[in-house]
Amino acid sequence: MEISDNMDLDQEISKTVGSPLLESKVRIACRDVNVFYNKNVQAIFNVNLDIGKNQILAMIGPSGCGKSTLLRCFNRMNDTIEDCVVDGLIELDGENIHSKKIDPVVLRANVGMVFQKPNPFPKSIYDNVAYGPRLHGLTQNNSELDDIVEESLTKAGLWKETKDRLNKPGTGLSGGQQQRLCIARAIAVKPEVILMDEPTSALDPIATATIEELMSELKSAYTIVIVTHSMQQAARISDRTAYFHLGRLVEVDETGHIFTNPNHSLTENYITGRFG
Amino acid sequence: MSNLEILLILIIAAVIAYYATKRQAQSWQASRDKTKLDSLPNYYGYFGAICTLLPALIVLSFWSFIEGNIISALVVSKFERLSASNASDLSLVMNEIKIIVESGLSEKNSNDLFYEKAAVLIERYSSVSLFLKVASVFALSILGFMYAYLKITPRFKARKKVEKTAVYFLLLSALVAILTTAGIIFSVLFESIAFFSQISIFDFVFGTHWSPQIAIREDQVSSTGGFGAFPLFWGTILISIIAMIVAAPLGLISAIYLAEYAQPKIRNVVKPILEILAGVPTVVYGFFAALTVGPMMSGLGDRLNEFGMSFEIELFAGLVVSSESALAAGLVMGMMIMPFILSLSDDVISAVPDSLRDGSIAMGSTKSETVWKVVFPAALPGIVGGFLLAISRAIGETMIVLMAAGVAANLTANPLNSVTTVTTQIVVLLTGDQEFDSIKTLSAFALALGLFVTTLILNILALQIVRRYREQYE
Amino acid sequence: MNNLEIVKAGLNKRYAKERRFKFYGIFSISLSLLFLFFLLFDIGAKSIPAFTQTYINLDIEFDKKSMKLQDQDSYSEETLFSASYSKLGRNALYKLFPEVTERKQKKALRQMLSSGARYDLRDAVLENNDYVGTTQNLWVLAGDDIDAFVKGLIDRNIPEADRRVKDYQVKWVDILEAQNKIERRFNINFFTSGDSREPEQAGILGALKGSFYTMLVTLLLSFPIAVSAAIYLEEFAPKNNWWIDIIEININNLAAVPSIVFGILGLAVYINVFGVPRSAPLVGGLVLTLMTLPTIIISTRAALKSVPPSIREAALSIGASKMQVITHHVLPLAMPGILTGSIIGMAQALGETAPLLMIGMVAFVADIPQSILDPATVLPVQVFIWSDSPERGFIALTSAAIVTLLVFLFFMNLIAIVLRKKFETRW
């Protein structure tokens, strides 16, 4: 399907279909969010979206559809990019994350992030996990820190493999282990939300399966937002799925619903593999 | 006929050879049976030119290099008075004879008949040598051309031959680097061995008395022990330490600020301006250190001294700042090295992947925490490598210390005193008129050997560290 | 306290650290910039006096007796050239201040003029033969102490014993000034003469020419050798060969060997073994060639590397030989990068001093070199020589020579930057 003109597109996606807004148990709420680069390039158009507590929301869509950009709004990572302007309201637990009362440092301690490519720091496994707690002064003494490291690694399913080599550099682990180390690093500061930006795209299928399993376990304690290229992955792990197209949120609904009975033709074309 | 003229004639011959062989090839192409050539006619031309030029050129350069020495040796062997004398006398006498030859034999400018005889002999040998040289070079050139002309046939693989020769030339150029290092080792090693046969290495390295000027009288060499170079090594180290104390934090922090904090606009202006500092010749820094910073410091020292006297502050009262203080030289050298550290650190810091920065910021760290806890440790090996290169540069720096530090070999830890360095002493010992074989001159080569070996170790170590660091993030 | 409260509690302290660190950064950059400006300003300010020179207006009587000429109507060039001109200037001064009779004062009066004034008078006569026997009103070069005094470098308020210009000299200068007979002019000498022991006569033309010849030798040798070496290493050298590794380590190391070591190589190998003439631009150029090679090789390799393989493959696929690919396609594309590196290498060589001291280019050379075999000195060495001279006038000259050197370096670097910017290609 060819898209000739953005005017047509705006008409076609005049309103997000499905159920973008939730009645209760909302953790993150977006209202009329627009994101601009260089003042004139718009990356996100009027997104309204609620993310529920203890849910996994998968954001899917073709490359360049703005899903990663939106994800990076949730912990204000876009602040690090110059000329990136975020417009509209984003609330975390009912508080505007762009308000002066919220400090980005505190926000990020509360909203963890896992990246596309595993990026363990060039330090030991222990120091990687202890990075956040040390940074924020979360522990009083070493034994507390040891506990946090063990707990986080256990939760990330990495404790058994690494308990004997905590002093070895984190960069020496395999790709899948590195990504789990990054997850352990993120949950060591006990955030409420974990953002994952295509966390398995650099991994082999076996490592991917392990991570997906881990996500399902983590769901009970955290709200997870995951950007993924793989529709199968979205279908396997998420509770709700949002489909993005050229910066617009086209459709969001229960995952089962999206994949079996999409309401919008663009969504249907994408999940049936006609483009993307 | 001078070498330049011979060279010109050879080049003209090569151009003629090029066209002659090229035409031969073209004539085959144009002949009735339309012979197919292996290569383009140009390449036949190149082949002809190479054959004409190359062997002749090799003989010409080789001959020119050795003819002087051979003639001298022949002349020396003819005169008992010369062959019996020792090396340094000989070189003096030979120099004088050569001056007579150059000024022309017709003018009777020497009152010693012996000199004139030798000069006549030299001139005779020179003319024979020139004749032989010209004859052999041109003969080779003609032979080379004939060889090429007879050798080429339409099936002859001219392009392959020419390209092969070209690759050999390229290889030869690459070998110049090896030759240079060999030349350096050759120039310092033999003289140093000669030096160490008279002064023990232990005395040289750990001796604390340096006064090569006295050692001209040979009976005093061993008794005074005037070749203890330890104060020079210490002076070098002291000034390098001061320079690094200035340059390392300034360069590193500036690099971090420019790489991580500054807006691109500011960075694009400030970085080239600071790099101007790296382009300023060292002699300019030396002038600045000697005429501005040195006197300024000693003036400041005097002020503090007066101040200390009048207010009875003991720390200041005894203060004496030499106008050639190690501090002034070190400070200015630090500013010279600063941009070097800045750009090396900047490269290294920029090589740290952004994913690490993102990871750290997403954990909720501030920018400076990201820099110090993630970026800096990640870049550390590269930064250390850069520092080592900077130290090597500080140790080898000559002009600043020559102009701003002293020549007296003091063994002192006080940066306000004057010290001397290895490089300064090398210059002092090797400039001006002196015979080449004296122990004083030899000591300069021993110092140079020490300097070369030290910087070599530092450089190789640093380059390996930096290389391994680069590979890690590639 | 939950985690978020702990984080918030520590926040102020962390942001204070952040601000402190940012301040350090700005501070160290400002300090470096300040140093640079101070350096340039200091040298620039010191150089200003060197660009002007003091001249005294005198009625010069070209009398044949003082010039030790036979009484004739006309004279040959040669006779005029070898005539004596040393008394003409002083006679004019004696006439101007007839009251000066005491020996010491007379000497001081004579020293009002430069010892080089006689050469200016000689040149004037050679140009106008008919001056002989007449009196001409001419501007004559003043001595260096008077020059420094007129420029305000010697303070008239300090006690007489502490300054080089005596009270009666001050008085004479004042008289001359009142009559408009003393004047500061642009110092053309500085750009047209060679070195001299007298600051008011010294110029940088000799050093400039020496630098030019030295750079010529360096460029002619280092550019082809370096580019060839780089082509071999980048395009032809077998990979993973320990020989090649050694060459590479060698080149990188040579780039960091102290420059003075190259001077020793020049002294021991070029001069003592091969008998290349000392102090000549030829040997200077040979030494600087070895120093410049690594710089050009490294930048040429980078330039060659930046040519994308697709271009090589395209040319190879239509049947060009490897050598043809390189000469027809890769080299022209890499040329801007190669030139940039070469200019930067040449700029380094132009500012190099220490190795040239080793090979005798530090000798005092008053003649202006005419070839690469004449004894010569180069600009930075001239700076060194002058900075070592005790006469006060040399401080300004040294600074002026530095300014000249920096101007050259600035333009070389500017060309390199423009080249890089203009041909910066993104493949």
Side-chain angles (χ1 to χ4, degrees):
Chain A
M1 144 158 200
E2 281 286 301
I3 292 141
S4 55
D5 196 2
N6 278 351
M7 288 290 285
D8 297 347
L9 198 68
D10 280 336
Q11 283 182 343
E12 205 175 338
I13 322 173
S14 57
K15 195 167 177 283
T16 306
V17 295
S19 50
L21 303 185
L22 296 171
E23 297 299 316
S24 58
K25 292 206 299 177
V26 177
R27 180 130 270 160
I28 299 176
C30 307
R31 295 293 175 271
D32 295 321
V33 174
N34 289 287
V35 181
F36 303 86
Y37 288 113
N38 296 325
K39 283 174 190 158
N40 42 26
V41 182
Q42 191 164 1
I44 299 284
F45 296 80
N46 290 322
V47 167
N48 287 285
L49 176 64
D50 281 349
I51 301 166
K53 282 181 187 164
N54 298 5
Q55 273 194 345
I56 300 183
L57 174 82
M59 305 207 283
I60 60 169
S63 323
C65 67
K67 52 195 191 304
S68 284
T69 305
L70 185 63
L71 187 79
R72 290 167 72 95
C73 290
F74 296 152
N75 66 346
R76 289 178 62 181
M77 276 302 275
N78 284 335
D79 288 12
T80 59
I81 302 166
E82 272 171 60
D83 339 304
C84 178
V85 179
V86 179
D87 187 49
L89 180 70
I90 301 176
E91 285 181 344
L92 175 68
D93 293 332
E95 254 188 301
N96 180 1
I97 65 167
H98 287 100
S99 86
K100 283 202 179 122
K101 273 192 287 176
I102 301 281
D103 190 282
V105 166
V106 182
L107 173 70
R108 287 170 195 148
N110 202 14
V111 182
M113 189 166 190
V114 176
F115 294 83
Q116 184 171 3
K117 228 182 111 203
N119 57 352
F121 301 136
K123 300 165 178 285
S124 72
I125 294 170
Y126 184 94
D127 287 342
N128 260 289
V129 181
Y131 183 78
R134 275 183 181 146
L135 197 67
H136 299 301
L138 297 183
T139 53
Q140 304 298 321
N141 52 48
N142 282 344
S143 69
E144 270 183 57
L145 193 60
D146 291 344
D147 291 344
I148 288 185
V149 170
E150 181 176 347
E151 189 192 331
S152 310
L153 282 171
T154 313
K155 275 188 189 165
L158 202 60
W159 176 249
K160 273 187 204 149
E161 294 151 74
T162 55
K163 65 177 182 224
D164 301 324
R165 43 194 278 217
L166 288 174
N167 292 323
K168 295 274 156 53
T171 43
L173 297 171
S174 75
Q177 286 174 324
Q178 283 190 14
Q179 196 61 301
R180 277 183 280 152
L181 178 62
C182 292
I183 293 174
R185 188 177 69 192
I187 58 184
V189 290
K190 302 199 172 67
E192 292 181 342
V193 181
I194 302 176
L195 309 174
M196 296 190 171
D197 191 355
E198 302 185 24
T200 58
S201 65
L203 303 180
D204 61 78
I206 295 171
T208 303
T210 323
I211 302 257
E212 284 181 4
E213 217 170 284
L214 176 59
M215 277 189 260
S216 307
E217 280 164 26
L218 291 174
K219 191 172 77 174
S220 58
Y222 307 93
T223 299
I224 298 177
V225 186
I226 176 171
V227 165
T228 178
H229 260 309
S230 152
M231 278 174 282
Q232 291 84 340
Q233 184 170 56
R236 276 197 299 269
I237 58 167
S238 67
D239 301 309
R240 298 201 324 143
T241 300
Y243 173 65
F244 286 80
H245 189 95
L246 290 177
R248 283 94 172 159
L249 175 57
V250 177
E251 183 167 358
V252 52
D253 221 321
E254 299 294 321
T255 301
H257 188 74
I258 287 262
F259 281 98
T260 53
N261 190 15
N263 287 334
H264 202 285
S265 58
L266 281 169
T267 319
E268 191 179 353
N269 286 336
Y270 182 69
I271 59 176
T272 51
R274 242 170 271 176
F275 74 92
Chain B
M1 201 181 249
S2 76
N3 280 344
L4 198 66
E5 286 165 310
I6 300 176
L7 192 67
L8 273 179
I9 294 174
L10 280 181
I11 288 170
I12 293 168
V15 172
I16 295 171
Y18 171 78
Y19 282 108
T21 30
K22 187 180 167 185
R23 259 184 79 178
Q24 176 66 49
Q26 279 168 332
S27 73
W28 288 322
Q29 220 171 17
S31 65
R32 236 180 311 152
D33 50 340
K34 293 253 159 67
T35 319
K36 200 155 168 16
L37 292 183
D38 174 82
S39 322
L40 291 172
N42 281 359
Y43 284 99
Y44 291 88
Y46 289 137
F47 180 72
I50 287 171
C51 288
T52 313
L53 188 63
L54 207 57
L57 209 58
I58 291 169
V59 168
L60 175 66
S61 39
F62 188 67
W63 198 302
S64 304
F65 272 137
I66 60 164
E67 85 183 325
N69 290 345
I70 287 183
I71 290 172
S72 298
L74 280 175
V75 171
V76 169
S77 67
K78 286 273 190 257
F79 294 96
E80 237 172 72
R81 185 174 145 187
L82 286 176
S83 45
S85 60
N86 69 23
S88 61
D89 287 349
L90 182 65
S91 75
L92 276 179
V93 175
M94 289 306 287
N95 263 339
E96 222 159 295
I97 296 172
K98 273 173 194 155
I99 289 167
I100 297 172
V101 176
E102 270 163 31
S103 60
L105 288 169
S106 54
E107 289 171 49
K108 300 260 172 202
N109 44 12
S110 167
N111 35 19
D112 193 334
L113 201 65
F114 160 74
Y115 282 96
E116 235 165 86
K117 263 190 189 164
V120 169
L121 200 61
I122 284 188
E123 189 146 87
R124 194 188 304 152
Y125 284 146
S126 299
S127 57
V128 172
S129 161
L130 181 66
F131 175 75
L132 286 176
K133 181 166 77 177
V134 171
S136 59
V137 164
F138 287 147
L140 258 176
S141 174
I142 293 167
L143 279 176
F145 172 69
M146 277 161 57
Y147 168 79
Y149 202 79
L150 295 174
K151 182 92 182 179
I152 54 166
T153 60
R155 313 281 300 274
F156 180 70
K157 295 192 183 319
R159 200 193 71 197
K160 279 225 161 122
K161 293 262 178 204
V162 170
E163 289 188 346
K164 215 170 179 183
T165 318
V167 173
Y168 278 122
F169 173 74
L170 297 182
L171 172 64
L172 208 68
S173 303
L175 286 179
V176 170
I178 298 264
L179 278 181
T180 308
T181 305
I184 290 173
I185 292 170
F186 165 82
S187 19
V188 290
L189 199 60
F190 291 113
E191 315 284 351
S192 300
I193 289 171
F195 176 76
F196 287 124
S197 67
Q198 295 180 51
I199 309 281
S200 85
I201 292 189
F202 186 84
D203 287 349
F204 178 69
V205 176
F206 295 105
T208 55
H209 181 62
W210 177 263
S211 55
Q213 313 304 334
I214 303 167
I216 285 174
R217 274 179 288 160
E218 280 182 18
D219 54 316
Q220 289 194 328
V221 169
S222 48
S223 57
T224 59
F227 288 101
F230 189 73
L232 315 189
F233 298 143
W234 170 244
T236 305
I237 293 169
L238 181 66
I239 291 183
S240 302
I241 289 175
I242 297 170
M244 285 307 285
I245 288 176
V246 173
L250 273 184
L252 183 61
I253 292 176
S254 302
I256 290 177
Y257 186 82
L258 285 180
E260 304 282 336
Y261 282 91
Q263 288 174 344
K265 257 189 211 159
I266 293 175
R267 181 186 154 88
N268 289 343
V269 174
V270 170
K271 219 185 152 203
I273 293 181
L274 288 182
E275 275 165 1
I276 293 176
L277 280 171
V280 172
T282 53
V283 69
V284 178
Y285 284 107
F287 176 73
F288 183 66
L291 263 94
T292 305
V293 179
M296 223 164 69
M297 296 219 154
S298 106
L300 192 70
D302 291 346
R303 284 285 164 72
L304 283 177
N305 193 351
E306 280 166 29
F307 180 77
M309 293 289 214
S310 47
F311 290 94
E312 297 190 342
I313 302 171
E314 231 171 277
L315 183 66
F316 294 158
L319 203 65
V320 183
V321 182
S322 158
S323 66
E324 295 187 327
S325 66
L327 186 62
L331 274 181
V332 174
M333 194 192 280
M335 291 316 293
M336 181 204 86
I337 292 174
M338 192 283 294
F340 187 66
I341 290 185
L342 172 83
S343 66
L344 283 175
S345 308
D346 188 56
D347 286 353
V348 165
I349 289 167
S350 309
V352 173
D354 274 343
S355 66
L356 289 182
R357 292 187 184 85
D358 283 352
S360 169
I361 287 173
M363 292 296 299
S365 58
T366 63
K367 209 153 195 184
S368 62
E369 284 161 352
T370 304
V371 167
W372 283 121
K373 294 187 174 150
V374 176
V375 177
F376 183 72
L380 193 60
I383 291 172
V384 169
F387 279 14
L388 288 181
L389 280 180
I391 293 172
S392 156
R393 184 167 277 213
I395 290 175
E397 170 49 39
T398 308
M399 293 318 291
I400 295 176
V401 287
L402 180 63
M403 293 163 85
V407 286
N410 294 325
L411 190 57
T412 168
N414 181 356
L416 304 178
N417 284 352
S418 136
V419 293
T420 191
T421 68
V422 174
T423 48
T424 309
Q425 288 302 316
I426 293 175
V427 175
V428 170
L429 291 170
L430 286 183
T431 49
D433 299 317
Q434 50 224 321
E435 63 269 66
F436 203 65
D437 294 340
S438 80
I439 179 104
K440 187 175 137 193
T441 323
L442 291 180
S443 70
F445 286 88
L447 288 176
L449 178 69
L451 182 67
F452 179 68
V453 171
T454 314
T455 52
L456 180 80
I457 293 170
L458 279 173
N459 293 343
I460 290 184
L461 202 67
L463 291 168
Q464 287 301 322
I465 292 175
V466 172
R467 196 160 103 168
R468 217 166 281 166
Y469 170 78
R470 289 255 160 77
E471 279 164 1
Q472 184 191 335
Y473 287 121
E474 250 166 27
Chain C
M1 251 197 331
N2 73 16
N3 271 353
L4 285 188
E5 279 160 355
I6 299 174
V7 175
K8 274 179 196 158
L11 221 50
N12 280 341
K13 226 171 145 188
R14 286 167 67 189
Y15 276 126
K17 250 187 201 165
E18 173 83 15
R19 277 192 298 276
R20 221 176 310 141
F21 180 61
K22 220 166 160 177
F23 168 75
Y24 292 147
I26 294 172
F27 176 75
S28 65
I29 288 179
S30 316
L31 198 66
S32 312
L33 289 176
L34 205 71
F35 177 85
L36 175 69
F37 292 133
F38 180 42
L39 172 86
L40 295 180
F41 176 79
D42 180 59
I43 289 172
K46 278 188 181 140
S47 77
I48 291 170
F51 292 105
T52 57
Q53 231 167 12
T54 308
Y55 283 79
I56 300 175
N57 184 280
L58 290 174
D59 289 321
I60 303 283
E61 189 188 350
F62 290 96
D63 70 308
K64 291 170 186 169
K65 208 176 115 215
S66 321
M67 288 168 76
K68 293 186 183 148
L69 287 172
Q70 308 283 317
D71 198 11
Q72 282 167 252
D73 282 344
S74 64
Y75 302 92
S76 68
E77 275 293 276
E78 246 171 77
T79 338
L80 288 179
F81 187 86
S82 53
S84 164
Y85 294 88
S86 50
K87 279 188 183 153
L88 302 180
R90 66 169 82 150
N91 286 348
L93 274 173
Y94 291 157
K95 215 185 240 170
L96 204 59
F97 299 103
E99 69 277 10
V100 178
T101 47
E102 198 239 334
R103 247 189 81 207
K104 215 171 139 196
Q105 290 201 16
K106 269 185 131 172
K107 191 180 169 208
L109 186 57
R110 285 204 299 275
Q111 282 172 349
M112 297 275 286
L113 292 184
S114 161
S115 63
R118 66 185 83 161
Y119 304 114
D120 293 344
L121 294 176
R122 181 187 69 197
D123 293 344
V125 170
L126 286 173
E127 218 167 275
N128 306 285
N129 288 349
D130 52 350
Y131 276 7
V132 181
T134 64
T135 302
Q136 297 290 333
N137 183 270
L138 294 172
W139 287 95
V140 183
L141 187 60
D144 62 331
D145 288 336
I146 299 303
D147 184 54
F149 177 73
V150 171
K151 284 169 181 167
L153 297 172
I154 295 175
D155 186 2
R156 67 166 73 203
N157 294 323
I158 56 175
E160 186 184 10
D162 292 347
R163 65 177 132 84
R164 288 179 61 96
V165 179
K166 299 294 156 213
D167 277 345
Y168 37 82
Q169 285 179 308
V170 173
K171 197 182 74 198
W172 297 329
V173 170
D174 288 342
I175 293 171
L176 287 169
E177 246 164 16
Q179 300 175 347
N180 279 330
K181 285 197 165 186
I182 199 157
E183 188 175 290
R184 280 168 70 181
R185 297 177 163 190
F186 179 68
N187 182 5
I188 192 80
N189 252 347
F190 181 68
F191 296 102
T192 56
S193 355
D195 194 8
S196 165
R197 301 273 187 219
E198 309 295 329
E200 75 275 11
Q201 295 168 45
I204 53 164
L205 186 64
L208 272 180
K209 278 195 123 178
S211 271
F212 172 76
Y213 286 125
T214 310
M215 287 297 108
L216 193 71
V217 174
T218 309
L219 180 66
L220 288 180
L221 287 173
S222 64
F223 184 75
I225 295 179
V227 173
S228 309
I231 291 176
Y232 182 80
L233 291 175
E234 201 56 44
E235 308 280 345
F236 290 99
K239 302 284 172 235
N240 298 323
N241 176 316
W242 66 274
W243 256 104
I244 303 302
D245 282 350
I246 285 186
I247 294 181
E248 283 187 19
I249 292 171
N250 229 299
I251 289 170
N252 286 328
N253 175 55
L254 282 178
V257 165
S259 59
I260 191 170
V261 173
F262 287 96
I264 287 178
L265 166 78
L267 176 66
V269 176
Y270 291 146
I271 294 179
N272 286 339
V273 178
F274 292 141
V276 183
R278 235 179 135 83
S279 307
L282 175 64
V283 65
L286 283 169
V287 167
L288 292 182
T289 297
L290 296 186
M291 289 193 56
T292 318
L293 277 178
T295 313
I296 307 185
I297 292 178
I298 291 169
S299 57
T300 302
R301 291 191 63 180
L304 291 173
K305 226 180 244 164
S306 74
V307 176
S310 60
I311 286 176
R312 282 166 237 257
E313 283 156 10
L316 282 172
S317 70
I318 45 174
S321 73
K322 200 167 184 185
M323 193 61 95
Q324 285 168 326
V325 173
I326 290 161
T327 49
H328 297 169
H329 301 283
V330 179
L331 262 190
L333 287 173
M335 214 22 115
I338 296 175
L339 288 180
T340 308
S342 307
I343 294 171
I344 289 171
M346 294 303 290
Q348 270 172 19
L350 180 60
E352 200 50 71
T353 320
L356 302 181
L357 302 182
M358 300 283 91
I359 52 172
M361 291 189 94
V362 69
F364 172 78
V365 183
D367 296 329
I368 289 162
Q370 299 301 337
S371 81
I372 58 168
L373 294 173
D374 290 346
T377 187
V378 294
L379 257 184
V381 178
Q382 187 73 72
V383 168
F384 173 67
I385 296 172
W386 281 349
S387 74
D388 235 13
S389 307
E391 283 90 352
R392 197 195 156 92
F394 276 118
I395 294 178
L397 283 178
T398 315
S399 308
I402 289 176
V403 170
T404 318
L405 180 63
L406 291 181
V407 167
F408 274 103
L409 290 176
F410 176 77
F411 279 108
M412 285 172 87
N413 282 300
L414 195 69
I415 293 169
I417 290 169
V418 169
L419 259 180
R420 185 159 50 191
K421 279 263 142 66
K422 193 163 179 187
F423 293 97
E424 208 168 47
T425 336
R426 303 242 173 251
W427 301 103

